[in-house]
Amino acid sequence: MKKNNILDLTKLFSDASYGLQMGYAETISAKSLVISPKTVEECQEILKYCNLENIKICCRGGGYSYGDMILNSEQVILDTCSMNEILDWNSETGLITVQPGVSFASIFKISLLHNWTLHSCPGGMDVTIGGAISNNVHGKDAWKSGNFGCQICSFKLLLASGETIIVDEAKESLFKAVIGGMGLIGIIIQATIQLKKIPSPFVTTRTDLAQNIEESIALLERRKKDSDFAVAWVDAFAKGSAIGRGYVSSASWVKDDLVTTPSDLNKSLTKPSLIFGFLPAKPFWFVGRRFFKPFVLNILNKIHYLVAKMKFSNKKKSSDPILFTDYNFMHNKIPDIREVYRPHGFFEFEPLLPKKNGAKIIRDLLILCQKFKSESLLCGLKSHKGDDFLVSFAGDGYSIGIDIQVAGRATKEIENFANAIIDFTNKYEGKIYLAKDEKLDKHSFQKMYPNYKTFLDLKSNFDPENRFSSDMFQRLME
């Protein structure tokens, strides 16, 4: 592909920019032309030009995919964040129709005022609906509500041919392919979602201490019976009988008639610019990254567990009510946290492993991480259930996030660890979350996502020239 063909698009779109693009984890980069259309007509114009010049298009939402799913070397990235209007909202029925660039935060600012919620919310409030559909994201209620696609009623899809079609469950095969399909079949230009009615926008939270991974998983299963959300924090550095110790944080909707205000919601959904209310983020992280090393994190994990033990051992079972957004997006309260990983970035591996013998499998995985001196710096454990979307990070099991910083590690060391994680996941017939991946090989992808052939057949029908592509697509599917 000649770069000049791409740069000619800047004549049509003055805000188009050519340059280095990165995944969210900032470990991989590629040069692309980024265009941010504001209308469907502009999307069609981009598509028409790319068809004529044989240019590949990668659809990107908020840019929160970690690796090369949102990279497109020397091709075009179509950024849908400027298509961010809420087109229709019915506070009586909970039906909402939005453009793809609308964020979770934008929906919650209006829906929670009327006691409606999105389920399957990831931990980032700025994730867009287009990205959430394309990755079929999950949240702390995945074991109960499934993945994000389960609440989608329909969406409008702009195909490579320039045709716009409405897709719903009546077009079952296409519906199941686009949801979780990484933007590889067409451009989602509109989506209608059925929100879930809730008694109030508040939750009460509960924290249960666990002495090891076996107890963590037992508590997670127990809280699933009386809670709406549950996630475990795991100390990946603890050894022996204490491996996987930590606590389970659960939450339940408050059934009392509590209401919130637009100003309180806006405050909850606004990221702070200062740490602890007075420290500038960038200087703080610049200093902090000098201490952000495994041996220091080991000590901090010990302290964190001891503080939790003192704080929650004799605490009443449930907290006072807090807004759901304060519970679900707690990490957004820490500004610019990626600064601590810069300039080299970080890797996160998130395997989903079978529920059967889950505690033993997770224990063995934590031991494997310790063997490679790659204990997860921040380690969350969630429970899931299955669905029938073609390329979906779903199944009856447990997912665990394993993140390691690049600084201080040799490339070969990281490669060996990544291969060990992939082999381990293959051994137990699990799967790696594609939204966070940049290390899977084609053979492992095919084993983990056996419906890939059906997916590729559908893509071939609707996008025979592979107009929609990405560096991940070329790595795993071409």
Side-chain angles (χ1 to χ4, degrees), residues 132-160:
I133 293 172
S134 295
N135 285 294
N136 197 18
V137 298
H138 59 276
K140 301 175 184 69
D141 57 349
W143 51 272
K144 182 175 186 177
S145 301
N147 285 21
F148 190 78
C150 297
Q151 63 199 314
I152 301 300
C153 299
S154 65
F155 49 84
K156 284 186 179 178
L157 193 67
L158 176 59
L159 299 174

Side-chain angles (χ1 to χ4, degrees), residues 147-418:
N147 285 21
F148 190 78
C150 297
Q151 63 199 314
I152 301 300
C153 299
S154 65
F155 49 84
K156 284 186 179 178
L157 193 67
L158 176 59
L159 299 174
S161 65
E163 179 187 3
T164 298
I165 61 173
I166 297 175
V167 183
D168 56 22
E169 291 192 16
K171 296 184 175 70
E172 182 180 7
S173 57
L174 185 57
F175 188 78
K176 301 293 186 186
V178 174
I179 295 175
M182 298 165 279
L184 293 171
I185 294 180
I187 305 168
I188 297 169
I189 55 176
Q190 181 177 306
T192 298
I193 309 166
Q194 176 60 65
L195 273 61
K196 178 182 177 181
K197 190 67 175 174
I198 50 176
S200 80
F202 292 85
V203 295
T204 55
T205 64
R206 170 176 176 152
T207 302
D208 295 289
L209 290 167
Q211 298 183 52
N212 51 43
I213 191 61
E214 288 79 12
E215 192 168 328
S216 291
I217 288 180
L219 281 168
L220 199 60
E221 289 299 314
R222 198 176 306 160
R223 292 287 74 84
K224 284 163 58 174
K225 296 176 182 177
D226 57 16
S227 304
D228 296 298
F229 306 92
V231 62
W233 168 77
V234 173
D235 180 359
F237 291 88
K239 298 182 183 298
S241 61
I243 197 166
R245 69 183 178 184
Y247 55 80
V248 172
S249 171
S250 56
S252 301
W253 293 109
V254 172
K255 293 183 171 55
D256 296 334
D257 188 21
L258 301 181
V259 295
T260 187
T261 64
S263 61
D264 284 344
L265 272 178
N266 283 332
K267 182 179 179 181
S268 174
L269 291 165
T270 299
K271 293 181 179 179
S273 58
L274 299 174
I275 295 175
F276 306 129
F278 65 92
L279 291 174
K282 286 194 176 182
F284 177 86
W285 292 125
F286 178 78
V287 174
R289 73 173 64 123
R290 299 168 183 268
F291 304 95
F292 200 71
K293 302 180 186 302
F295 76 92
V296 176
L297 268 293
N298 185 6
I299 295 170
L300 291 178
N301 269 264
K302 285 182 171 68
I303 294 171
H304 183 60
Y305 178 73
L306 290 173
V307 169
K309 195 172 182 178
M310 289 186 290
K311 185 176 180 181
F312 298 114
S313 288
N314 299 314
K315 191 180 176 184
K316 63 180 181 178
K317 290 298 182 184
S318 297
S319 71
D320 293 330
I322 61 171
L323 277 169
F324 166 72
T325 45
D326 286 332
Y327 168 74
N328 196 72
F329 302 126
M330 62 184 76
H331 290 130
N332 283 159
K333 305 299 181 184
I334 308 173
D336 300 331
I337 192 170
R338 279 188 299 170
E339 285 287 340
V340 80
Y341 294 106
R342 289 173 175 155
H344 304 292
F346 68 99
F347 286 96
E348 180 163 339
F349 307 90
E350 187 173 355
L352 172 60
L353 297 159
K355 184 176 181 180
K356 185 178 180 182
N357 299 321
K360 181 185 183 306
I361 294 172
I362 301 296
R363 172 178 279 274
D364 288 346
L365 179 60
L366 293 171
I367 292 171
L368 178 70
C369 294
Q370 292 178 356
K371 175 184 174 182
F372 280 85
K373 293 182 171 52
S374 294
E375 297 90 343
S376 183
L377 306 178
L378 302 168
C379 195
L381 178 73
K382 296 189 289 288
S383 182
H384 295 252
K385 71 175 184 178
D387 64 31
D388 55 357
F389 298 104
L390 292 182
V391 185
S392 186
F393 187 72
D396 190 18
Y398 303 105
S399 70
I400 184 167
I402 302 163
D403 67 295
I404 59 171
Q405 83 276 40
V406 173
R409 299 178 191 274
T411 301
K412 186 64 175 176
E413 179 185 347
I414 293 172
E415 292 294 330
N416 289 341
F417 178 62

